[in-house]
Amino acid sequence: MSTTTADRRTLIADTAIGLVAAAGLRGLTHRAVDGAAHLPAGSTSYYFRTRTALIGACYQRLAELDLGDVGDLGGGLGGDPGNGKDPGSDFAGHPAGEPAGHPAGGPGARAQPPAAGREAAAAALAGLLHRWLTVGRERQLARFELSLEAARNPELEPDFHRAGQGARARASGILAALGSERPEEAAELLVAWTDGLLYDRLAGALARSRPAPDLAELTSITRRMLDAVLAEA
């Protein structure tokens, strides 16, 4: 079976992400990707002429994989596991129909989401974090490494920004379904907190001395995070 251009690009991006996770950006070269992916010399530079283009492909692939993980857990996060979207929302995660917190009872009426909804969302988010701290550890390390490069290189900032918007849009849709009146603001907090937790457990000062990630502990943490971001001023 012949390898398509899309398959080759995906292989190159996945290999580049693995190299960044293992050796940092100093290990990311076109030649290194060719070797690690067992491709003929010059293959990576054929598809991604510059190092900036190669890093941009990493951003896009990381966002695709992370959103795929969210889609896999979509049932618990208020979405459809089949396509990664929320029911009653558009692709960007914007809720359709009545605004969150203002049902047909009249303007200003507030609907409190059932406790079971929050519990399911907390459990699903905890499962997602557990995955990223264990089998997805390499990918998250690469993401942190690449985010610093985007902060230093203005050429990379647009690609990084686009990749990050997908996670925030998805979180906004989930929080709207849980009753947030300002889901976009709440999503910014939730993404920041989850990023902070991931960084602390993967690369923080105590990362090597902490015990293995515990799903029960993560569920307790994510429930507190959801309670905090859903607490309206």
Side-chain angles (χ1 to χ4, degrees), residues 61-138:
R61 180 62 174 158
L62 286 167
E64 176 186 335
L65 291 169
D66 283 352
L67 287 174
D69 284 347
V70 174
D72 288 344
L73 296 171
L77 289 172
D80 175 3
N83 60 16
K85 298 182 185 180
D86 297 326
S89 68
D90 61 21
F91 181 77
H94 300 124
E98 293 292 337
H102 295 280
R110 299 186 58 177
Q112 296 299 323
R118 283 195 193 187
E119 292 296 343
L125 181 55
L128 186 65
L129 290 172
H130 188 269
R131 179 185 294 188
W132 287 346
L133 289 168
T134 54
V135 295
R137 178 180 183 275
E138 178 181 273

Side-chain angles (χ1 to χ4, degrees), residues 131-169:
R131 179 185 294 188
W132 287 346
L133 289 168
T134 54
V135 295
R137 178 180 183 275
E138 178 181 273
R139 191 202 314 164
Q140 297 306 314
L141 286 172
R143 185 168 65 85
F144 286 126
E145 186 86 32
L146 289 162
S147 68
L148 293 175
E149 183 67 11
R152 302 186 189 104
N153 186 343
E155 290 184 68
L156 292 169
E157 195 277 335
D159 285 334
F160 182 68
H161 177 77
R162 280 193 296 272
Q165 289 311 299
R168 284 159 178 77

Side-chain angles (χ1 to χ4, degrees), residues 177-195:
L178 289 173
S180 175
E181 292 185 347
R182 294 190 293 275
E184 292 182 359
E185 294 177 23
E188 289 185 6
L189 282 176
L190 185 61
V191 171
W193 285 342
T194 54
D195 266 354

Side-chain angles (χ1 to χ4, degrees), residues 213-232:
D214 178 77
L215 190 56
E217 177 204 11
L218 289 172
T219 301
S220 175
I221 291 171
T222 54
R223 176 56 197 264
R224 296 201 310 254
M225 291 191 325
L226 284 174
D227 285 344
V229 299
L230 289 169
E232 304 292 352

